[in-house]
């Protein structure tokens, strides 16, 4: 393809995407892919200026819609040039000749121009193509933060004020819930909802949406102000909404610091931002620098990595969790989002796949905000070709071929019933034992769990059940060869040629035990003395999480006592209840489950709390009787479990949350919200040594 042909192609694409974005409120590509196309075209044009014919690089926005009357701006509404790295920011700093710079959030909203005459709002319009926009006066009049009349004094004859209309993040989810409940199509993101809400024929609809505006500049204005920061102070004194987050930075380095700081605060801001706008603060320098046809030279947008991208949904597969739950997940064309590469996204259950309306083969919108797990928001229906196919939930377990079925009638989730031998369930349970919520065994991560349960060699894996975990030997570990699995999906990773990666998992090249093997055995040994609740949690009994497990262990003192208790006795324990009690009984009814507890006991796992006197020890007339006591933070002379066992032995109740009824709180270092709550409620707080002294005085 010749350069001229490529330029033509890029122009056509950009035109199409802009029109979809500005007229249909639909993003056919992600912002970052779009930026890339524009950058490519700009680079081509810079090298070959003869290619610049009616190019979108010289224009702003999209075509005008026919929904609204048109409004001609007195001064054009421009766009901004972008920087994607510190180097690009420094290059711009060189071009403009240094600071001071005004830095502020780049609001991901909809650009709007307000015209005030003698202090009265006379018109409001969208940017349109930069010269002519849509007249949305009636709609903007419904936005509460936009004053119809300026306050204060010294209002100019006429002023154009530029800013961004946005949809507050806090209200966005609620809006979409309402739209979906009414059978409508939800907005893909807050920016689309701002644009969709403002560009309504009926201003009543706009009025019903909690839109807000922040202003960040001006168009036509005979002013005698000398800096951008003074402009903000003046606009603010007139009652216009300006950002409180702006900062004047002395130089590019300080501007860079601002960029970094705002990125870490990105998710605590009330609206979406996609970067920082950095402006030369001095207004006379701004006019000296001037502008190109589309953007001022005195400002630049530093763009953060995108949190929302478009990618292809290649397939939907199903993974099996540790309690057998079948969860569909998306296999995506790998894509970078929020700074990391994403290839998979969970879809929770088949109802969710249906309600999102996604088909296999669709281009989908994928969102990953910071550290939050990636989520598919929905399809880009405008890009469908007709070859997309609907996802069918499988009827059999993908790993052991058992028939999937709901655990009980009316359950949306399907489960694999083969809990004993389904390789997926065993692998997930073993990995869970190693996790922080359970036994917290560093060397027993997902990948080790897979190697122990599904090695390529030896064919018979060392673990056919978690019963044998604590009696593993080095001889069993050494021969293991295994696939390298992706922790998110359990699927094998592949080398460059598409073959699954295989490793000698626990052995070094010279045949000696590898670090992981030695560490795993040492870690397992230490884990035998973990707090009892962690051991109970590790059994993967449905509904028994850390909170219930703590409560059960504190009450009964040993696994033996827990499993010997009747359903009624179990249900009476604080935070347990009938569902959980039934689940515990059901679990214990299986022979192979009892074998796990028995083998763990034989291997030396501590199955009771040292010093606990058993359920009978809760003497009604002990010195702590009638008292609810909370232990929080880290203790040094005993574990939290032991402290709670002592409380119970003396007739008290060990609770996990603080209330007005709490007698006192024992707080060690690292205590957080419980300590705060106690202080708020005026509940007595003592430290570990005071607690030990109190115990001594009571038991002597
Ligand atoms: S200043 C002459 N400041 O981003 C244009 N723009 O991508 C000066 N935007 O067209 C614009 N937040 O609509 C400026 N704090 C901010 C902004 C901001 C968002 C928008 C604006 C601009 C677009 C460019």
């Amino acid at each position: 393809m010749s350069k001229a042909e490529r330029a033509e192609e890029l122009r056509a694409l950009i035109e199409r995407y802009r029109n979809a974005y500005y007229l249909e409120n639909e993003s056919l590509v992600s912002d970052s892919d779009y930026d890339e196309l524009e950058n490519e075209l700009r680079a081509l044009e810079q090298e070959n200026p003869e290619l610049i014919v009616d190019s979108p690089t010289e224009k702003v926005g999209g075509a005008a819609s026919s929904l609204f009357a048109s409004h001609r701006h007195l001064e054009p509404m421009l766009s901004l040039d972008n920087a994607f790295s510190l180097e690009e920011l420094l290059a711009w700093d060189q071009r403009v000749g240094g600071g001071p710079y005004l830095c502020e959030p780049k609001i991901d909203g909809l650009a709007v121009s307000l015209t005030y005459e003698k202090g009265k709002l006379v018109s409001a319009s969208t940017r349109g193509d930069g010269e002519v926009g849509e007249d949305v006066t009636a709609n903007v009049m419904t936005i509460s933060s936009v004053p119809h009349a300026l306050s204060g004094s010294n209002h100019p004859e006429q002023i154009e004020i530029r800013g961004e209309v946005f949809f507050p993040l806090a209200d966005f989810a609620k809006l979409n819930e309402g739209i979906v409940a009414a059978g409508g199509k939800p907005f893909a993101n807050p920016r689309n909802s701002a644009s969709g809400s403002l560009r309504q024929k009926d201003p009543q609809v706009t009025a019903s949406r909690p839109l807000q505006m922040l202003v960040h500049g001006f168009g036509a204005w005979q002013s005698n102000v000398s800096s951008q920061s003074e402009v903000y102070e003046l606009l603010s004194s007139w009652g216009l909404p300006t950002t409180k987050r702006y900062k004047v930075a002395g130089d590019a380095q300080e501007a860079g610091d601002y960029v970094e700081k705002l990125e870490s605060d990105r998710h605590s801001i009330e609206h979406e931002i996609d970067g920082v706008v950095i402006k030369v603060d001095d207004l006379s320098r701004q006019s000296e620098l001037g502008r190109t046809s589309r953007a001022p030279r005195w400002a630049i947008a530093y763009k953060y990595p995108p949190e929302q991208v478009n990618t292809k949904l290649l397939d939907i597969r199903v993974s099996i969790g540790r309690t057998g739950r079948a969860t569909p997940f998306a296999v995506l064309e790998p894509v970078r989002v929020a700074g990391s590469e994403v290839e998979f996204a969970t879809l929770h259950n088949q109802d969710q796949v249906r309600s999102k309306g996604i088909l296999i083969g669709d281009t989908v919108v994928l969102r990953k905000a910071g550290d939050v797990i990636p989520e598919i928001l929905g399809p880009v229906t405008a890009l469908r070709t007709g070859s997309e196919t609907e996802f069918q939930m499988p009827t059999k377990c993908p790993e052991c071929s058992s028939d999937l079925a709901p655990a009980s009638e009316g359950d949306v989730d399907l489960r694999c019933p083969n809990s004993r031998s389904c390789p997926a369930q065993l692998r997930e349970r073993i990995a869970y034992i190693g996790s922080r919520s359970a036994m917290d065994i560093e060397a027993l991560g997902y990948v080790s769990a897979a190697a122990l349960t599904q090695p390529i060699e030896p064919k018979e894996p060392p673990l056919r059940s978690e019963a044998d975990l604590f009696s593993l030997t080095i001889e069993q570990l050494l021969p293991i060869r295994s696939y390298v699995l992706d922790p998110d999906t359990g699927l094998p990773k592949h080398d460059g040629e598409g073959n699954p990666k295989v490793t000698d998992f626990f052995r070094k090249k010279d045949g000696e035990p590898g670090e992981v093997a030695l560490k795993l055995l040492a870690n397992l040994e230490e884990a035998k003395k973990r707090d009892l609740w962690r051991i109970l949690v590790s059994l993967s009994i449905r509904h028994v999480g850390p909170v219930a497990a703590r409560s059960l262990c504190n009450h009964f003192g040993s696994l033996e006592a827990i499993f010997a208790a009747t359903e009624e006795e179990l249900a009476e324990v604080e935070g347990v209840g009938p569902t959980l009690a039934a689940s515990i009984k059901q679990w214990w009814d299986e022979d192979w489950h009892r074998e796990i507890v028995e083998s763990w006991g034989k291997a030396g796992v501590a199955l009771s709390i040292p010093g606990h006197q058993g359920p009978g020890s809760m003497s009604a007339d002990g010195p702590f009787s009638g008292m609810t006591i909370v232990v929080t933070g880290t203790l040094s002379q005993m574990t939290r479990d032991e402290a709670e066992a002592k409380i119970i032995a003396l007739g008290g109740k060990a609770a996990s949350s603080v209330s007005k009824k709490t007698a006192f709180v024992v707080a060690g270092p690292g205590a957080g919200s419980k300590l705060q709550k106690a202080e708020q409620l005026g509940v007595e707080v003592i430290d570990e040594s005071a607690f030990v002294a109190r115990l001594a005085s009571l038991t002597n």
Side-chain angles (χ1 to χ4, degrees), residues 24 44 187 189 236 282 304 531 564 602 620 677:
E24 316 294 334
L44 261 177
F187 287 110
N189 52 48
S236 171
D282 188 295
Y304 291 138
D531 284 347
K602 276 195 195 138
K677 181 101 185 273

Side-chain angles (χ1 to χ4, degrees), residues 612-645:
H612 197 291
Q613 309 289 308
S617 68
M618 302 235 312
S619 61
D621 50 354
F624 282 160
S625 78
M627 293 168 85
T628 304
I629 299 159
V630 175
V631 185
T632 179
T634 317
L635 306 185
S636 58
Q637 301 177 46
M638 59 188 107
T639 67
R640 218 148 56 193
D641 269 11
E642 284 163 358
E644 290 177 350

Side-chain angles (χ1 to χ4, degrees), residues 177 246 372 401 525 692:
E177 272 166 32
Y246 84 80
V372 180
S401 302
E525 201 50 43
V692 172

Side-chain angles (χ1 to χ4, degrees), residues 22 60 76-82 102-112 127 162-164 214-218 228 232 243 274-279 291 294-296 298-299 301 303:
Y22 288 108
V60 168
M77 280 180 87
L78 299 178
S79 187
L80 285 171
D81 287 334
N82 295 324
L102 180 134
C103 310
E104 64 187 304
K106 184 170 188 305
I107 303 153
D108 204 5
L110 174 74
V112 164
R127 185 169 63 178
R162 304 287 159 73
E164 222 66 18
L214 279 174
V215 302
H216 51 58
F218 57 90
Q228 186 82 21
Y232 287 4
T243 179
D274 57 348
V276 171
V277 182
I278 300 157
K279 300 169 181 169
R291 62 180 180 91
R294 64 177 291 277
W298 46 264
K303 290 280 207 78

Side-chain angles (χ1 to χ4, degrees), residues 447-448 450-452 454-458 477-485 492-493 495 499-509 516:
V447 184
S448 302
L452 292 168
Q454 292 169 290
I456 305 168
E457 283 166 31
L477 295 184
L478 287 183
I480 294 180
R481 287 179 62 72
S482 170
Y483 290 123
V484 180
L485 298 185
K493 289 190 180 175
D495 62 15
N499 304 311
K501 286 192 192 168
V502 171
T503 56
D504 254 338
F505 201 83
F506 291 106
R507 182 166 51 181
K508 289 197 290 197
K509 282 208 178 72
V516 187

Side-chain angles (χ1 to χ4, degrees), residues 55-129:
S55 173
T57 56
E58 300 189 290
K59 293 186 240 164
V60 168
S65 79
S66 52
L67 255 187
F68 300 93
S70 44
H71 170 97
R72 179 165 287 279
H73 305 299
L74 299 172
E75 280 286 322
M77 280 180 87
L78 299 178
S79 187
L80 285 171
D81 287 334
N82 295 324
F84 296 96
S85 64
L86 195 58
E87 290 72 56
E88 289 179 11
L89 176 60
L90 293 176
W92 173 80
D93 168 61
Q94 290 286 313
R95 287 202 296 278
V96 299
Y101 299 122
L102 180 134
C103 310
E104 64 187 304
K106 184 170 188 305
I107 303 153
D108 204 5
L110 174 74
V112 164
S113 177
L114 308 171
T115 307
Y116 284 87
E117 285 176 3
K118 298 194 172 70
K120 292 269 174 311
L121 179 62
V122 293
S123 89
S125 59
T126 63
R127 185 169 63 178
D129 65 2

